[in-house]
Amino acid sequence: DLDRALRQTILHIECDGYPWGQVQAPVGDFFGAGPGINPFDSVPFTVQPDGKMFCRFVMPFATSCKIRLENKGDQQVRVTGSVIPMVYAWDDAKSMHFRARWRVDHDLVGSNGTEARDLPFLIANGSGVYVGTAVMIMNPSPIPTSWGSWWGEGDEKIFVDQDQRPSIFGTGSEDYFNYSWSIPDIFGFAYCGQPRDDGPANRGFVVNHRWHVLDAIPFQTRI
């Protein structure tokens, strides 16, 4: 069951003796493809129809790196993969590990304007550079309105360092992911895409990604 395997197999990338992985995410979610195989081609990630997945982010480390897969499901999973090593001069003053985390919110209720609330995508302390987000939504509502299957009116808010108000305060989730009018179309570009939308309208599984490569967001103390 490939869909289950991609969600239940957890990718851990552990660098330089840290007690937990700098990367911890289900395999399909890490590559922005889940649930299942939903092909797309972008600058940092590619997912092919045959299930091959590519990540092109450089992942520096000083002395050691371990890539580990954890099967948390009840079926056997076979994985084939490879990495491309390169020379990198680690600098304690400015080098950073690549990090990726995954979080889940279940049983959210569509808002009628009185129950709206923010959903934290990322909370990180320390210095770093934010390079992107992939979002997987499952919406059971068949009603094509803002109170039904359409979920994208919430604004993205990005607080950098000591911000009391967000440095970036957007105009809607769909705009953040570079489309509008709740289009259910499958699309993919260099830095954004919607590789899955079950429909009709925005019902079912919807997958969006936005990679901050040309517009990476640096932070010094928190984001």
Side-chain angles (χ1 to χ4, degrees):
D1 186 332
L2 192 56
D3 286 18
R4 286 178 54 223
L6 289 169
R7 175 55 58 82
Q8 296 177 350
T9 305
I10 310 301
L11 171 66
H12 301 266
I13 301 179
E14 302 158 359
C15 297
D16 297 326
Y18 276 64
W20 58 85
Q22 282 89 350
V23 172
Q24 293 178 345
V27 171
D29 296 53
F30 174 79
F31 287 96
I37 299 293
N38 301 289
F40 69 90
D41 190 23
S42 69
V43 169
F45 289 101
T46 295
V47 174
Q48 295 182 345
D50 63 2
K52 292 187 180 72
M53 300 182 181
F54 301 86
C55 172
R56 302 181 186 89
F57 276 115
V58 176
M59 300 185 186
F61 58 92
T63 59
S64 66
C65 178
K66 179 169 68 174
I67 299 174
R68 180 168 61 89
L69 292 167
E70 178 186 10
N71 184 359
K72 297 186 75 69
D74 56 4
Q75 60 178 343
Q76 289 189 343
V77 176
R78 177 175 293 179
V79 178
T80 301
S82 63
V83 297
I84 301 176
M86 59 182 288
V87 175
Y88 184 90
W90 181 270
D91 184 338
D92 286 336
K94 60 183 180 181
S95 294
M96 294 180 287
H97 293 116
F98 180 89
R99 295 177 181 267
R101 285 290 190 276
W102 140 80
R103 64 173 293 136
V104 179
D105 290 287
H106 289 298
D107 302 322
L108 301 177
V109 178
S111 171
N112 57 10
T114 62
E115 301 174 65
R117 60 181 175 131
D118 290 344
L119 295 176
F121 278 18
L122 170 69
I123 300 173
N125 294 308
S127 60
V129 179
Y130 173 63
V131 295
T133 295
V135 177
M136 296 81 181
I137 294 170
M138 200 302 162
N139 192 326
S141 174
I143 305 169
T145 70
S146 297
W147 294 273
S149 67
W150 177 231
W151 49 267
E153 296 304 327
D155 303 335
E156 81 276 10
K157 304 172 186 177
I158 303 178
F159 296 81
V160 177
D161 296 332
Q162 306 307 316
D163 278 350
Q164 297 301 308
R165 289 182 56 80
S167 290
I168 296 174
F169 199 146
T171 56
S173 301
E174 58 182 343
D175 303 327
Y176 174 74
F177 291 112
N178 288 311
Y179 64 100
S180 62
W181 294 101
S182 61
I183 60 171
D185 303 11
I186 302 303
F187 65 87
F189 298 101
Y191 304 112
C192 65
Q194 180 166 266
R196 177 168 176 171
D197 188 315
D198 293 349
N202 305 99
R203 184 181 185 276
F205 278 112
V206 181
V207 179
N208 286 170
H209 56 253
R210 162 78 181 272
W211 313 129
H212 288 264
V213 177
L214 297 179
D215 57 348
I217 303 173
F219 54 96
Q220 296 300 317
T221 57
R222 70 190 306 267
I223 188 169

